[in-house]
């Protein structure tokens, strides 16, 4: 595992993702590891699976800033991995 403590994680581009996936078979499931702390995958991470992807419009609520569209990957817990909190 790698660690980049104290450094803001660098957001990947679509090109970097495409390159990283070149040797991955089409039928392979995509898992997403979310660090327990900023940039820290050494001390643990939560595992999710990729469930959807689409362009998402980002708006700041004003008309002064042009609306941006970001391509977003959506992840969820693997089937059977949800833990429901009971009050």
């Amino acid at each position: 595992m790698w660690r980049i403590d104290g450094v803001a994680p660098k957001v990947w581009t679509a090109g970097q993702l495409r390159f990283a996936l070149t040797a991955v078979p089409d039928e392979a499931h995509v898992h997403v590891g979310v660090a327990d702390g900023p940039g820290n995958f050494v001390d643990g991470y939560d595992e999710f699976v990729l469930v959807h992807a689409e362009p998402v419009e980002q708006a700041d609520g004003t008309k002064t800033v042009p609306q941006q569209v970001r391509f977003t990957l959506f992840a969820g817990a693997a089937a059977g991995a949800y833990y429901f909190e009971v009050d």
Side-chain angles (χ1 to χ4, degrees), residues 26-85:
D26 288 345
E27 63 279 358
H29 294 165
V30 177
H31 293 257
V32 179
V34 179
D36 284 347
N40 181 358
F41 291 87
V42 174
D43 293 335
Y45 62 91
D46 293 323
E47 187 173 337
F48 296 91
V49 292
L50 183 64
V51 295
H52 189 69
E54 69 179 59
V56 175
E57 295 178 357
Q58 306 290 311
D60 70 351
T62 70
K63 301 286 183 189
T64 58
V65 178
Q67 196 168 36
Q68 295 180 347
V69 176
R70 295 181 183 160
F71 192 78
T72 303
L73 303 176
F74 295 91
Y82 282 100
Y83 300 100
F84 297 103
E85 292 184 26

Side-chain angles (χ1 to χ4, degrees), residues 3-36:
R3 178 185 217 131
I4 52 172
D5 286 337
V7 178
K10 185 176 182 221
V11 177
W12 275 27
T13 64
Q16 287 172 297
L17 181 59
R18 276 189 208 100
F19 180 77
L21 293 174
T22 54
V24 178
D26 288 345
E27 63 279 358
H29 294 165
V30 177
H31 293 257
V32 179
V34 179
D36 284 347

